[in-house]
């Protein structure tokens, strides 16, 4: 005799899968509606949670965000410690009149205890999936500094969305040798082979720079052009 319990369970999971697909379809549609550009200009900084406040790189990222905030940019980070905290702290320093915002987009993790103390507006996600889409929706530009696997996840998603033109006219700026090395690796193993695994133009999407000064200049130019 057929097992009615298994049949009923299968039907229930089919309904759940269908509902999830409809929910994701709705979320995908809503995520394409971008906030009006005239309101705010927001820069997301991706980087490691492991860098200490006395590290030279922490100070560089803090200075980057201070200068961007002084230009009228909101600063978005993952809301945690390390270079995320440096980004939010820099926004506070560059905005004594509280005209811009320091935003943290967190993901719930068992080893992190809330947002860093420099976050003014905090959001908490239960999954990396929804958090990554929130970053994309919020941001007019991305700056990537030294980081590990989490930073790589964030960076590669933005890169791919720009590659397939789901997102356009959003600068993706790599600062320092870590991510320049990623581009060089991709060129060696994805482009310089037969058949190539991606187009050479795909590797021109991220702008590789060596200094904070160069990153600020690129964002300042894009902000003026996109808000002009």
């Amino acid at each position: 005799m057929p097992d009615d319990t298994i049949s009923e369970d299968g039907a229930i999971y089919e309904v759940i899968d269908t509902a999830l697909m409809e929910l994701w379809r709705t979320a995908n549609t809503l995520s394409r509606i971008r906030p009006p550009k005239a309101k705010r200009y927001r820069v997301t900084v991706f980087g490691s949670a492991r860098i200490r406040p006395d590290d030279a790189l922490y100070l560089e990222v803090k200075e980057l965000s201070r200068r961007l905030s002084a230009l009228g940019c909101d600063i978005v980070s993952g809301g945690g410690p390390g270079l995320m905290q440096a980004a939010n702290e820099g926004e506070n320093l560059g905005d004594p009149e509280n005209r811009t915002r320091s935003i943290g987009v967190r993901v719930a993790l068992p080893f992190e205890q809330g947002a860093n103390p420099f976050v003014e507006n905090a959001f908490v996600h239960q999954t990396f999936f929804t958090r990554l889409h929130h970053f994309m929706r919020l941001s007019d530009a991305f700056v990537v500094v030294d980081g590990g696997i989490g930073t790589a996840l964030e960076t590669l998603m933005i890169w791919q969305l720009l590659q397939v033109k789901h997102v356009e006219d959003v600068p993706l700026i790599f600062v320092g040798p870590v991510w320049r090395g990623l581009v060089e690796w991709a060129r060696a193993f994805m482009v310089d082979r037969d058949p190539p695994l991606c187009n050479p133009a795909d590797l021109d999407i991220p702008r590789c720079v060596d200094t904070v000064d160069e990153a600020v200049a690129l964002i300042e130019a894009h902000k003026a052009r996109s808000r002009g």
Side-chain angles (χ1 to χ4, degrees):
M1 294 180 63
D3 190 328
D4 292 338
T5 302
I6 293 175
S7 177
E8 290 175 7
D9 286 348
I12 290 170
Y13 281 110
E14 185 175 344
V15 170
I16 292 172
D17 284 344
T18 300
L20 280 172
M21 288 302 299
E22 290 300 323
L23 180 61
W24 288 339
R25 188 174 293 113
T26 300
N28 286 336
T29 300
L30 291 174
S31 69
R32 294 192 185 102
I33 303 173
R34 303 279 291 168
K37 282 193 171 182
K39 284 194 173 181
R40 311 194 74 89
Y41 189 97
R42 289 172 171 158
V43 180
T44 289
V45 179
F46 290 143
S48 173
R50 303 187 182 201
I51 303 298
R52 296 185 301 272
D54 60 352
D55 191 285
L57 185 56
Y58 185 103
L59 300 177
E60 287 181 26
V61 173
K62 184 167 68 172
E63 175 63 10
L64 166 74
S65 292
R66 185 196 68 77
R67 292 175 59 182
L68 291 174
S69 179
L71 290 173
C73 303
D74 291 346
I75 299 297
V76 183
S77 83
L83 297 181
M84 294 177 281
Q85 178 172 305
N88 294 125
E89 184 179 358
E91 187 282 332
N92 288 192
L93 292 172
D95 180 39
E97 297 179 3
N98 201 32
R99 292 178 298 179
T100 62
R101 294 290 177 267
S102 179
I103 300 167
V105 183
R106 298 181 51 243
V107 64
L109 295 173
F111 49 81
E112 282 193 8
Q113 304 297 318
N116 71 66
F118 302 101
V119 169
E120 296 170 338
N121 297 108
F123 302 91
V124 182
H125 289 262
Q126 297 302 310
T127 69
F128 286 97
F129 171 79
T130 58
R131 180 186 186 228
L132 286 167
H133 280 276
H134 196 174
F135 278 129
M136 193 66 254
R137 178 168 169 75
L138 280 176
S139 307
D140 296 284
F142 293 88
V143 177
V144 186
V145 292
D146 292 11
I149 293 172
T151 305
L153 170 68
E154 295 156 350
T155 300
L156 289 171
M157 177 184 170
I158 303 305
W159 193 348
Q160 186 188 33
L161 290 174
L162 289 165
Q163 175 202 20
V164 299
K165 300 189 185 302
H166 280 197
V167 176
E168 297 186 77
D169 193 29
V170 175
L172 175 61
I173 302 169
F174 292 171
V175 182
V178 171
W179 305 110
R180 188 186 296 275
L182 176 64
V183 175
E184 292 168 355
W185 172 84
R187 193 176 307 281
F189 292 99
M190 296 182 184
V191 174
D192 296 339
R193 57 173 291 160
D194 186 21
L197 304 180
C198 66
N199 295 323
D202 295 338
L203 304 191
D204 295 329
I205 292 171
R207 298 289 301 273
C208 296
V209 301
D210 295 317
T211 67
V212 163
D213 288 346
E214 293 171 280
V216 171
L218 288 173
I219 290 173
E220 185 174 14
H222 180 260
K223 181 175 183 289
R225 185 173 67 252
S226 63
R227 296 299 190 266

